[in-house]
Amino acid sequence: MAAVAPTLRELFDPDFLKALQLFRLRARRVAVGGRHAEQDSSGMGYGLEFKDFRPYVAGDDLRAVDWNIYRRLGKVVVKVFEEQQDLPLYLMPDVSRSMFLEDPPRIHSALRVSLALAAVSLGQHDSIGLFPFADDLQVRVKSMSGKGGVMSFARHLSQLEERGQTELSTAVKRFSDMSLRRGLLVIISDFFEAGGVARVLDSLSGCRHDLLLIQLVRESDAKPAPVGDVRLRDCETNEVVNVSVTAEVLNRYREAYEDFSEELATFARERQAGLLRLDAEQDVLGQLGSLFESGVLRI
Amino acid sequence: MSFVGLSPFWVGAGLVALSVLLYLMQRLRVQYREISVATTLFWRAAVQEAPARVFRQRFRHIWAYLLILAICSCLWIAFAEPRWDGTDDRERYVLLLDGSAGMARGDVFERTVGQLKKDVSSLPANRRRVLWVGGQVSTLLASGEHGLLLDRRLESMAPEASRSTMEKELRHLAAVSRKDETTTVLIYGNSPVRQVVLDLMPAHYTVRRIAQAGYETGNSGITALGVSEAASGLWDRVDVLVKLENDQDRSLGPGNVAIALNGQPLEGALSIESSDGAFVLSDVPADGGLLEVSLLGDDSLVFDNHAQLRLPDRPLIKVQLSPSLSSLQSVLSADPALMLTDQAPDVVIKRKGEDIGRDIPTLEFVPQAEQETSFKLIYPGDDDSAEMLSTAVQALGLAQIDATAIAGASQKTISVSAEGGDEWRFAVWGELLGDEYNFVRSRSFPLFISKSMRWLAQTRKWHPYVAAGYPLMTRGFNGRDVLGVRYVPAVAGSEEGLTVSLLDSSVTSGSVKSAADLELADHGASIDTGNLGTALLLVTLILLSVEWCLYQKGNIP
């Protein structure tokens, strides 16, 4: 029997959210075109950080004119400041059937880490979006900002339901087609797509957003428990594989799983994307600590 | 169903069947255990080169097959308990443990029990049973019961002071035998069995004896203790016969025993006659006392060293004689069993109409005109009058009367009748006392009077001897012995008002006339499969552990 997503009460844990206040999410440079916020952007304009001087042109704000230079040199120049804007954070949690299988189900960790990242972003005036996916992409929250939005976002998370099979490649393609402002795309999934991980990575390579891949794993993925003659039924595709489990078969299984993991890690390294392997059977907060080095995650 | 005690053929057949069955199971379609998993992505890759077993595929798991075959074979052999002696699978065993007095000699019983336990453990549980054959026969271990129960049940068992009932039990087994069951009867003990008893056994029954070496001899015992009326004629005295025997050629006599009456030594004022170990104690007081005879010294068997007997209680019969019949006084005085008295008489002699001895047994002389028959018996109760009459004619000595002479002299028919009434009364024609009948002067008259007094007084019954396990013999008021249907208790002692002694010559001497020589059984006839079964179960346990480890490691499917 499949598990259900955690309730709002289970998800909106005050202690959990309080602990997240120590974390910060810092982008090297965000794309211009957003709202004023705390992230450094490539744009020049009004901000707190002085950047340069330039000659006055008609239309410039008179408050930016440096009157001291005008008094000494008689030239009218204006001060230019580095513009600080928000970082769009796009969360794509996997809600396929495999995320709801086993005990505890991976969806519990997926939702908690989604909430954690959302709370950190909202706390630093960034905007967030929620795009759960399974065999298709859903747009639950396109853009949300403000510290007060944590509760609302948690409610959205608690309402997520189990859907079909994992089609991450399709979901990424649809997401790319949405022409959203460049930001950080966080994919939270087991990455078990029937077509293989190569197809997923192909679709991700064309994505123009920064990437953070959070792979939900458990010990039995690498060391499966079944022994003897077993009929393994894929919970998403209902595909059946008859296996007489022997040491030889187990070795080959481990090799296949290691290839999968290595492929994912190589992609992340080459794409300069972040990759976090999160154990679904362990506490989420403790594992996030390793992601936010000194409390700050730099992307 | 149990497979206990199968022959090697069937054990081998079972092994072959098991191996074939397991082989087929290895080759037949696998019964998969279905498990739902998050993805089959990696399993598909893993099984590409090693697909799962399918119907009638190549035989791949030879070691798994051999392991499961070894486990099943061990279990099969452990439960089948094969017998390698070629005996019939249906053969039954009846083990009879002798619990009679003869087994109390030395340590014969302990050694016999030890042998019995050993043999029981080697026989298949569902085809053997153990019976205790002591004073009574009881089941010690029923078919199918575990052998350990025998140890506990034997803890409270010891030889009893009883004669052997082995022959009786063999007769019983013969009576209830079933034609389709070959049965071996093993006798554990030394009770002799006569050939005539063995001849009764069915053809499919074999009787053998588990003999115990070192049968201890040197036993003496009391084999007879009986009482009879005193040869001296004294009414209140009896003669007692004592017989001593031993299993050697040693002569025994009165000097070898201590005799006590009511706990006091019986002194030698009594005359003693001795021959062949038997002697008679003459004129012992018949007052209902307890006579005890004990053998002096110790020997190998204690049960026959002591015997006791309750003597008859024969007080003098008190007779009240009517003054009108004083002519009978001399006859009555001549009888030592009678005592003339007017105080609390037991019997009254009177003429009809005299007012003495009311409600007391009476010899009454009635006028001929008032009684149709010459002699008329009236007895309380409603017993069969014909039987009572027949008994009384003997008891009263009427058969010895010269009835023809009396009839000739009186020109009357002499007849006897009996009928039920309220009291004991013997009515006789008074005219018979007259001279014309010549009855009084006949030699049978004193006898007639004496016996009439005894019959009317209803003197108490007594037992000439009381031997354990024998029918109870009773001597009644009429002097006849009656061998009743009641049996004396099988074990010596005091029970149900009887004082019982062993008194068995075969126990004392250890032999019996015409005893058969039984074939001695070979103890090692059957293989001890108990330990083999335990060992095989242990091996099975180890193999199962190995299989579990291999299964957990994924080395076998």
Side-chain angles (χ1 to χ4, degrees):
Chain A
M1 181 180 170
V4 294
T7 62
L8 178 63
R9 184 180 295 274
E10 290 168 347
L11 203 58
F12 199 80
D13 179 1
D15 293 335
F16 175 71
L17 295 174
K18 186 178 178 183
L20 296 173
Q21 291 177 359
L22 300 174
F23 295 150
R24 285 288 179 271
L25 190 61
R26 282 280 173 260
R28 285 186 294 275
R29 196 71 60 186
V30 299
V32 294
R35 296 176 296 101
H36 285 290
E38 298 176 0
Q39 305 287 356
D40 295 337
S41 74
S42 56
M44 302 289 183
Y46 303 103
L48 296 177
E49 200 75 23
F50 173 75
K51 184 83 174 181
D52 203 355
F53 295 102
R54 67 172 172 80
Y56 175 80
V57 292
D60 284 340
D61 190 349
L62 291 179
R63 287 175 296 181
V65 175
D66 189 335
W67 297 110
N68 288 328
I69 293 176
Y70 177 74
R71 183 161 48 89
R72 286 207 307 263
L73 302 178
K75 292 181 179 177
V76 181
V77 295
V78 293
K79 291 186 281 190
V80 178
F81 293 88
E82 187 173 329
E83 197 164 9
Q84 288 186 312
Q85 294 187 349
D86 64 329
L87 170 68
L89 178 72
Y90 306 112
L91 292 163
M92 280 182 60
D94 184 353
V95 289
S96 64
R97 276 194 287 269
S98 64
M99 297 291 287
F100 290 78
L101 195 70
E102 299 160 314
D103 187 31
R106 298 172 210 245
I107 191 67
H108 285 194
S109 297
L111 296 188
R112 284 177 81 82
V113 76
S114 297
L115 180 63
L117 293 173
V120 170
S121 289
L122 291 175
Q124 57 193 26
H125 308 292
D126 291 329
S127 63
I128 58 172
L130 178 62
F131 305 89
F133 74 96
D135 47 5
D136 199 2
L137 185 75
Q138 300 176 68
V139 181
R140 298 297 290 255
V141 177
K142 193 164 185 179
S143 180
M144 173 189 284
S145 60
K147 290 184 177 179
V150 176
M151 183 67 178
S152 172
F153 190 78
R155 186 173 293 111
H156 280 292
L157 289 175
S158 65
Q159 290 169 352
L160 295 181
E161 292 177 347
E162 175 187 335
R163 296 175 66 84
Q165 65 183 83
T166 306
E167 287 287 351
L168 179 55
S169 52
T170 307
V172 169
K173 189 171 182 305
R174 268 208 61 197
F175 181 79
S176 300
D177 292 345
M178 291 173 72
S179 302
L180 293 170
R181 183 174 154 235
R182 189 165 180 267
L184 176 62
L185 173 61
V186 182
I187 299 174
I188 307 161
S189 173
D190 52 16
F191 296 93
F192 293 155
E193 180 166 321
V197 71
R199 190 175 157 201
V200 174
L201 299 182
D202 277 351
S203 64
L204 285 174
S205 61
C207 182
R208 62 190 182 86
H209 298 279
D210 291 326
L211 281 176
L212 173 59
L213 308 179
I214 297 182
Q215 182 189 5
L216 292 165
V217 299
R218 62 192 331 133
E219 189 179 4
S220 59
D221 290 344
K223 298 175 182 174
V227 290
D229 294 310
V230 289
R231 170 172 288 127
L232 301 170
R233 183 179 294 280
D234 192 312
C235 69
E236 294 185 355
T237 62
N238 264 338
E239 185 185 4
V240 167
V241 178
N242 293 327
V243 184
S244 297
V245 181
T246 61
E248 185 185 359
V249 171
L250 282 176
N251 283 336
R252 277 200 290 274
Y253 173 93
R254 290 191 195 103
E255 286 172 10
Y257 184 77
E258 283 168 10
D259 289 347
F260 163 81
S261 299
E262 181 59 30
E263 207 168 343
L264 205 58
T266 303
F267 170 80
R269 193 164 51 247
E270 292 175 351
R271 176 70 166 69
Q272 293 187 327
L275 174 63
L276 172 65
R277 289 204 169 97
L278 203 65
D279 192 338
E281 293 168 345
Q282 303 294 327
D283 179 46
V284 168
L285 197 59
Q287 298 179 83
L288 277 179
S290 63
L291 182 66
F292 288 83
E293 292 175 9
S294 303
V296 178
L297 172 61
R298 297 185 185 281
I299 53 174
Chain B
M1 178 187 171
S2 169
F3 349 103
V4 177
L6 290 186
S7 67
F9 172 78
W10 287 112
V11 173
L15 288 174
V16 171
L18 270 175
S19 59
V20 170
L21 184 67
L22 292 171
Y23 178 82
L24 291 175
M25 288 174 71
Q26 287 279 323
R27 289 177 62 93
L28 289 179
R29 186 183 297 278
V30 179
Q31 188 67 36
Y32 289 107
R33 184 162 46 96
E34 185 163 312
I35 299 173
S36 187
V37 293
T39 182
T40 53
L41 199 61
F42 314 117
W43 289 111
R44 282 203 305 270
V47 300
Q48 273 178 354
E49 294 180 15
R53 291 182 289 132
V54 294
F55 183 62
R56 290 185 61 77
Q57 68 162 45
R58 185 167 57 88
F59 194 79
R60 293 175 56 213
H61 302 288
I62 181 67
W63 290 109
Y65 169 72
L66 291 176
L67 188 60
I68 194 68
L69 181 61
I71 291 170
C72 291
S73 299
C74 285
L75 287 174
W76 168 249
I77 295 172
F79 282 103
E81 291 186 9
R83 296 180 59 79
W84 310 108
D85 55 353
T87 52
D88 188 350
D89 291 344
R90 293 171 302 173
E91 184 172 2
R92 307 278 163 175
Y93 295 89
V94 182
L95 287 70
L96 304 177
L97 176 58
D98 189 357
S100 65
M103 294 297 288
R105 290 180 182 231
D107 61 348
V108 170
F109 182 74
E110 287 73 16
R111 285 188 287 131
T112 303
V113 165
Q115 184 63 53
L116 173 70
K117 289 179 181 175
K118 185 179 173 186
D119 291 353
V120 164
S121 65
S122 69
L123 292 171
N126 68 334
R127 292 196 280 117
R128 57 97 177 99
R129 58 194 175 110
V130 183
L131 302 179
W132 170 262
V133 188
Q136 301 291 334
V137 175
S138 60
T139 299
L140 281 175
L141 195 67
S143 292
E145 286 189 311
H146 198 284
L148 290 176
L149 292 171
L150 183 65
D151 295 349
R152 170 169 286 186
R153 290 170 186 170
L154 279 172
E155 285 174 1
S156 58
M157 305 304 279
E160 300 167 328
S162 67
R163 57 193 283 256
S164 171
T165 53
M166 194 62 73
E167 290 185 347
K168 182 180 171 186
E169 180 55 21
L170 287 175
R171 283 197 189 94
H172 173 73
L173 290 174
V176 299
S177 66
R178 288 173 51 181
K179 287 182 179 177
D180 59 341
E181 287 183 353
T182 304
T183 303
T184 297
V185 180
L186 297 172
I187 297 175
Y188 289 79
N190 299 312
S191 287
V193 178
R194 289 173 297 172
Q195 186 61 46
V196 67
V197 177
L198 295 178
D199 292 343
L200 293 174
M201 305 306 289
H204 56 283
Y205 267 57
T206 306
V207 182
R208 296 178 183 174
R209 186 190 297 283
I210 306 297
Q212 288 300 322
Y215 190 89
E216 201 166 332
T217 58
N219 179 57
S220 302
I222 302 162
T223 57
L225 178 61
V227 63
S228 64
E229 292 166 336
S232 63
L234 294 175
W235 170 254
D236 56 350
R237 300 280 167 160
V238 290
D239 290 348
V240 176
L241 171 71
V242 180
K243 187 174 183 182
L244 307 176
E245 288 186 47
N246 62 78
D247 55 8
Q248 296 171 320
D249 292 332
R250 193 159 65 94
S251 64
L252 297 169
N256 297 102
V257 294
I259 302 170
L261 182 60
N262 293 326
Q264 300 299 319
L266 194 62
E267 294 299 339
L270 305 161
S271 61
I272 296 175
E273 299 169 3
S274 177
S275 66
D276 298 333
F279 56 90
V280 176
L281 306 173
S282 301
D283 293 339
V284 177
D287 57 358
L290 182 65
L291 182 72
E292 297 176 87
V293 181
S294 301
L295 207 62
L296 298 174
D298 295 329
D299 57 19
S300 60
L301 184 62
V302 297
F303 287 139
D304 59 357
N305 290 352
H306 185 78
Q308 51 190 11
L309 181 67
R310 180 69 64 182
L311 297 179
D313 184 10
R314 305 184 75 190
L316 294 176
I317 301 170
K318 290 183 277 190
V319 180
Q320 182 179 11
L321 182 63
S322 166
S324 64
L325 295 168
S326 56
S327 59
L328 299 179
Q329 189 166 357
S330 58
V331 176
L332 295 170
S333 301
D335 188 341
L338 305 179
M339 181 176 68
L340 287 171
T341 178
D342 292 338
Q343 303 297 320
D346 297 319
V347 182
V348 171
I349 304 175
K350 67 178 183 179
R351 289 183 185 278
K352 186 174 183 184
E354 292 178 340
D355 187 20
I356 60 173
R358 186 171 297 171
D359 299 330
I360 292 175
T362 304
L363 172 60
E364 189 176 53
F365 292 95
V366 299
Q368 185 177 343
E370 296 182 12
Q371 183 170 293
E372 187 178 346
T373 56
S374 312
F375 303 94
K376 185 175 183 180
L377 308 168
I378 297 155
Y379 56 92
D382 54 358
D383 291 347
D384 181 20
S385 59
E387 184 182 349
M388 177 59 76
L389 186 61
S390 171
T391 305
V393 165
Q394 296 296 326
L396 292 169
L398 294 177
Q400 300 169 30
I401 294 174
D402 188 358
T404 305
I406 297 171
S410 63
Q411 297 299 308
K412 299 284 185 183
T413 302
I414 304 301
S415 58
V416 183
S417 65
E419 65 178 39
D422 299 330
E423 57 186 357
W424 289 98
R425 192 151 63 88
F426 186 22
V428 182
W429 284 346
E431 284 76 0
L432 291 177
L433 298 177
D435 292 339
E436 64 273 25
Y437 285 90
N438 201 28
F439 178 49
V440 175
R441 289 193 296 275
S442 70
R443 284 180 297 180
S444 60
F445 185 68
L447 186 65
F448 167 73
I449 292 297
S450 292
K451 292 205 168 187
S452 299
M453 294 299 101
R454 284 165 174 72
W455 186 81
L456 286 168
Q458 293 294 305
T459 50
R460 298 170 191 174
K461 300 175 184 178
W462 48 281
H463 308 300
Y465 60 88
V466 185
Y470 284 91
L472 182 62
M473 178 171 282
T474 304
R475 182 157 293 174
F477 60 86
N478 54 7
R480 295 176 64 192
D481 291 339
V482 177
L483 201 60
V485 293
R486 178 186 173 193
Y487 266 77
V488 176
V491 182
S494 294
E495 188 176 340
E496 300 175 8
L498 290 175
T499 302
V500 183
S501 301
L502 179 57
L503 306 179
D504 191 283
S505 178
S506 63
V507 170
T508 299
S509 62
S511 64
V512 68
K513 287 180 180 176
S514 59
D517 290 331
L518 282 173
E519 183 184 355
L520 299 182
D522 178 8
H523 297 162
S526 54
I527 191 169
D528 185 355
T529 55
N531 293 333
L532 177 64
T534 306
L536 286 172
L537 288 177
L538 282 174
V539 170
T540 304
L541 202 61
I542 293 168
L543 290 175
L544 283 172
S545 304
V546 170
E547 187 189 32
W548 174 249
C549 292
L550 293 174
Y551 178 76
Q552 287 299 314
K553 289 179 178 176
N555 292 329
I556 59 173

